[in-house]
């Protein structure tokens, strides 16, 4: 077997056992017209918080927004230095710079 024969993730197979639930959830969202926030997101946040034994969970649109929200929650802003790695996706540094802070590379 060569590396070209390694199969990619089979989402059809992965979703198959959950298909009725996934279709019902998608239908609820489509019919509500609430693609941002709304009752489905609120329910997801509650279930996620409960599953992890924390008071709150916040759903965001992307990993980039998650990084930004975490930095903001810690009060990172202009003039601050944030230690990070250069061996990461560019969004790690992007979130720091977007807040006016300066990335400091720990393992450069």
């Amino acid at each position: 077997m060569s590396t070209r024969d390694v199969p990619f993730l089979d989402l059809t197979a992965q979703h198959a056992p959950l298909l009725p639930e996934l279709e019902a959830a998608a239908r609820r969202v489509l019919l509500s017209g609430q693609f941002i926030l709304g009752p489905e997101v609120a329910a997801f946040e509650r279930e996620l918080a409960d599953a992890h034994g924390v008071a709150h969970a916040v759903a965001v649109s992307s990993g980039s927004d998650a990084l930004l929200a975490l930095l903001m929650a810690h009060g990172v802003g202009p003039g601050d230095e944030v230690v990070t790695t250069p061996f990461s996706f560019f969004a790690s540094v992007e979130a720091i710079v977007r807040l006016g802070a300066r990335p400091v590379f720990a393992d450069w």
Side-chain angles (χ1 to χ4, degrees), residues 82-100:
V82 178
V83 178
T84 189
T85 176
F87 304 110
S88 177
F89 188 63
F90 71 88
S92 303
V93 171
E94 176 193 34
I96 296 165
V97 172
R98 187 170 168 192
L99 292 175

Side-chain angles (χ1 to χ4, degrees), residues 46-91:
R46 275 192 309 276
E47 290 175 27
L48 186 63
D50 290 346
H52 291 279
V54 296
H56 305 283
V58 178
V60 294
S61 64
S62 67
S64 295
D65 280 349
L67 291 169
L68 189 64
L70 287 169
L71 290 170
M72 292 171 74
H74 283 282
V76 173
D80 291 334
E81 292 183 343
V82 178
V83 178
T84 189
T85 176
F87 304 110
S88 177
F89 188 63
F90 71 88

